[in-house]
Amino acid sequence: MKHNSQQDMNNSKTLDSTLWNKDLAPIISKNKNWKIYNLAALWMCMSITIPTYMVGSYTISSGLNWWQSSLVVMSASIIAWLLLIIVGSIGVKYGIPFPVMLRASFGVRGARVAALLRAAVACGWFGVCTWIQGTAFYIILKHFFSVGHLGEVFGINILEVGSILLFFFVQIYIIKKGITVIKWIEAVAAPLLLFAVIVLLVWGVLKTGSLANILSASHQLSHKIHANYWAVFWVDVGVVFASWAAVILNVCDFTRYVAEQKDQMIGQFIGLVPTSALFVLVGIINTCATIIIFGYPIWNPLALLDEINSPIFVLSISSIIIISALALNMGANVVAAANDFSNLYPGRISFKLGGYIAAIVGILLFPWKTILTNQYFVFYWILSYSTVIMALLGVIISDYYIVSKRIIYLEDLYILNGKYYYNSGWNWVAFVSILIAVIPVVPGAIISMGDFRQSVILSWFVFLYKFGWIISFFISSTVYVFIMKLISHHTQERGLLC
């Protein structure tokens, strides 16, 4: 079977209209114009965010001090970067988006279901980021116009609802403009966000007198103190890593625009590893500063702005928070969900329409409920979806690197009855592998969300749940390779798999 080039594939007359449109087609070499800065800017925008700030605050509330929490974040970001390179190389080499990449391991029809799992997470995050934008704008209105309480709708102030809807429509407009505008937003937002980090750090130091005073207050943030650092280190690494799992899964949506492998390696390292560690450290420092300034810790930077009486400071930082959430939404959520929904019916659903669907679903999920508390945010949201996401990732990586030997036949990704048709378009081995991988983690998820009397057995299940991201990854990849190798002894053509 011919290993088609991207140009040959785009010129093919045999592509199936239910599997192909111009948004899902491979990017040919001459159109790959993303460089190191573009990827670095993308990851800066996805690292300097309120969710990252809150995930970092979770690590210190689990009993770690400021430098231990920083080491946790650095370790998690390095693991994430390594997986970004592994998955991202597929996009660089073949120029295909995430839902099309899924067809190689899940089948040309089964990939639709697998992509919807990623789309669901993107919709949830879209809603959270839109809520952040609306809330930041609402804070500006309160400081400059002394707006009172006008009543509530869906559990929040009416004016805040209006602010959220305002930025919902702003993002709809950006989606209409397409990927070029999204790329421009990421490039512009990155330096502004770095400036915001510096401003927040300077504010905390000036208000408290010295950095040493701030760091000495860090022990007051811990609800409990652990004598053994390593008892919580890897659990917290998993929590931090889990917050990036979804974007790792669909990083091909961005690396497909990159021509050189070294560009994606360097760009993603610069944008993720030092940036996330720095921002989490600044978040910890400012949270410690609030203990000295206000007498109690303020974990959420939006809540912090609500306590500051300087209108100019509030305007500046709130505006940058809005830009941050907007850039994160466009890069991490809209691109992923738009491609995933487009993959459902490429002949009818374009990238833009897929983006509109994601935006509407995201708002209807009532995101202000998702990020209500640190425990809700970490246990009920990040840890739950990361288990499934990492099981998906285990199948993708094991199929590409072990089963397929890094070879993808491009044209077969866009036709029926080709190499990736499997059993009527479905590779059930992939779905069985994910199911087997997720089952061990489910009891711990149920226990964490319920009110159960503590016992050794229940605590063990919760422990497995906290490590669900790595457990599901290794189980799904191992089971997938084992079954696929077993089947290969009985058939020579993958297209005949049952």
Side-chain angles (χ1 to χ4, degrees):
M1 185 176 293
K2 184 181 178 182
H3 179 190
N4 307 86
S5 70
Q6 293 159 330
Q7 187 66 58
D8 289 341
M9 215 274 334
N10 282 327
N11 292 333
S12 175
K13 303 290 187 181
T14 63
L15 306 181
D16 192 282
S17 62
T18 64
L19 299 173
W20 182 93
N21 64 25
K22 62 182 181 64
D23 296 317
L24 297 179
I27 303 297
I28 59 177
S29 297
K30 69 178 183 179
N31 293 332
K32 293 188 172 188
N33 53 16
W34 282 44
K35 303 298 181 182
I36 291 175
Y37 177 78
N38 299 114
L39 282 175
L42 173 73
W43 271 102
M44 284 181 186
C45 292
M46 290 194 284
S47 298
I48 306 176
T49 64
I50 288 180
T52 302
Y53 190 108
M54 294 186 70
V55 167
S57 71
Y58 167 82
T59 65
I60 202 167
S61 68
S62 68
L64 307 181
N65 61 34
W66 66 270
W67 69 264
Q68 291 170 336
S69 295
S70 300
L71 182 58
V72 163
V73 174
M74 180 69 76
S75 302
S77 62
I78 290 174
I79 295 172
W81 172 66
L82 292 173
L83 285 174
L84 283 168
I85 294 173
I86 292 171
V87 181
S89 66
I90 304 174
V92 176
K93 183 175 181 179
Y94 292 102
I96 52 178
F98 166 67
V100 174
M101 177 185 68
L102 283 176
R103 296 173 186 173
S105 49
F106 288 85
V108 292
R109 288 176 175 156
R112 293 169 179 167
V113 174
L116 281 180
L117 295 174
R118 174 63 181 97
V121 174
C123 289
W125 274 113
F126 181 94
V128 169
C129 291
T130 304
W131 169 78
I132 290 172
Q133 295 169 65
T135 301
F137 186 71
Y138 173 61
I139 291 172
I140 293 175
L141 294 179
K142 286 199 301 180
H143 276 80
F144 279 86
F145 301 103
S146 300
V147 178
H149 190 74
L150 303 177
E152 292 188 354
V153 178
F154 305 122
I156 58 175
N157 190 291
I158 290 177
L159 190 57
E160 189 172 356
V161 172
S163 299
I164 292 171
L165 291 177
L166 170 65
F167 284 95
F168 167 79
F169 287 111
V170 167
Q171 291 170 118
I172 288 292
Y173 176 77
I174 295 173
I175 293 170
K176 180 181 178 181
K177 290 298 182 179
I179 191 69
T180 302
V181 173
I182 293 174
K183 174 187 173 185
W184 178 85
I185 289 173
E186 306 295 330
V188 172
L192 291 176
L193 296 178
L194 287 176
F195 172 75
V197 169
I198 295 172
V199 169
L200 283 171
L201 180 60
V202 171
W203 172 84
V205 173
L206 291 178
K207 282 290 185 178
T208 57
S210 72
L211 184 59
N213 290 339
I214 297 175
L215 297 178
S216 66
S218 65
H219 70 277
Q220 298 181 46
L221 296 178
S222 299
H223 299 311
K224 49 189 173 295
I225 301 297
H226 287 276
N228 184 3
Y229 170 50
W230 299 106
V232 294
F233 176 83
W234 287 111
V235 173
D236 284 356
V237 166
V239 169
V240 176
F241 171 84
S243 66
W244 293 315
V247 186
I248 294 172
L249 188 66
N250 74 289
V251 70
C252 282
D253 286 333
F254 307 106
T255 59
R256 64 192 294 233
Y257 298 101
V258 179
E260 300 291 337
Q261 294 288 359
K262 65 178 179 62
D263 288 350
Q264 70 124 351
M265 294 174 64
I266 298 172
Q268 295 190 116
F269 180 87
I270 294 172
L272 174 62
V273 179
T275 305
S276 58
L278 173 63
F279 186 61
V280 166
L281 180 59
V282 170
I284 292 171
I285 289 172
N286 276 290
T287 304
C288 294
T290 61
I291 297 176
I292 301 173
I293 298 168
F294 302 105
Y296 56 91
I298 301 177
W299 301 100
N300 191 328
L302 289 173
L304 172 60
L305 289 175
D306 220 11
E307 297 289 334
I308 297 174
N309 294 321
S310 171
I312 299 301
F313 182 87
V314 169
L315 175 62
S316 302
I317 300 302
S318 294
S319 299
I320 293 175
I321 286 175
I322 290 172
I323 295 171
S324 164
L326 177 65
L328 174 63
N329 236 2
M330 294 299 105
N333 305 319
V334 168
V335 172
N339 283 331
D340 295 341
F341 284 125
S342 178
N343 186 56
L344 288 176
Y345 200 154
R348 296 289 181 87
I349 303 177
S350 64
F351 176 89
K352 293 178 182 179
L353 180 56
Y356 299 152
I357 295 171
I360 293 171
V361 173
I363 285 296
L364 293 178
L365 291 176
F366 301 107
W368 46 92
K369 299 292 185 182
T370 306
I371 204 168
L372 190 60
T373 67
N374 268 354
Q375 183 175 350
Y376 194 105
F377 180 60
V378 172
F379 274 88
Y380 301 169
W381 175 233
I382 294 180
L383 286 180
S384 296
Y385 78 66
S386 66
T387 297
V388 179
I389 292 296
M390 290 302 291
L392 276 166
L393 193 60
V395 169
I396 293 168
I397 291 177
S398 61
D399 178 79
Y400 179 70
Y401 284 95
I402 300 177
V403 177
S404 299
K405 309 297 184 185
R406 295 188 297 172
I407 296 175
I408 293 178
Y409 296 90
L410 281 176
E411 186 168 339
D412 283 24
L413 295 171
Y414 298 89
I415 62 174
L416 297 175
N417 299 317
K419 183 177 180 64
Y420 306 113
Y421 192 64
Y422 294 103
N423 183 22
S424 301
W426 298 75
N427 182 11
W428 295 107
V429 175
F431 289 98
V432 169
S433 300
I434 291 175
L435 181 61
I436 294 174
V438 171
I439 286 176
V441 182
V442 172
I446 296 173
I447 294 168
S448 297
M449 298 178 190
D451 185 16
F452 296 90
R453 181 179 299 176
Q454 291 297 313
S455 69
V456 174
I457 295 177
L458 294 185
S459 297
W460 176 249
F461 280 124
V462 172
F463 182 80
L464 291 178
Y465 176 51
K466 291 180 179 180
F467 280 101
W469 62 282
I470 193 169
I471 291 172
S472 62
F473 175 82
F474 281 110
I475 291 179
S476 68
S477 57
T478 302
V479 171
Y480 183 82
V481 171
F482 175 77
I483 298 178
M484 292 296 286
K485 292 291 186 181
L486 187 64
I487 292 176
S488 68
H489 289 299
H490 303 285
T491 178
Q492 295 182 347
E493 291 292 332
R494 289 180 65 183
L496 298 178
L497 288 180
C498 296

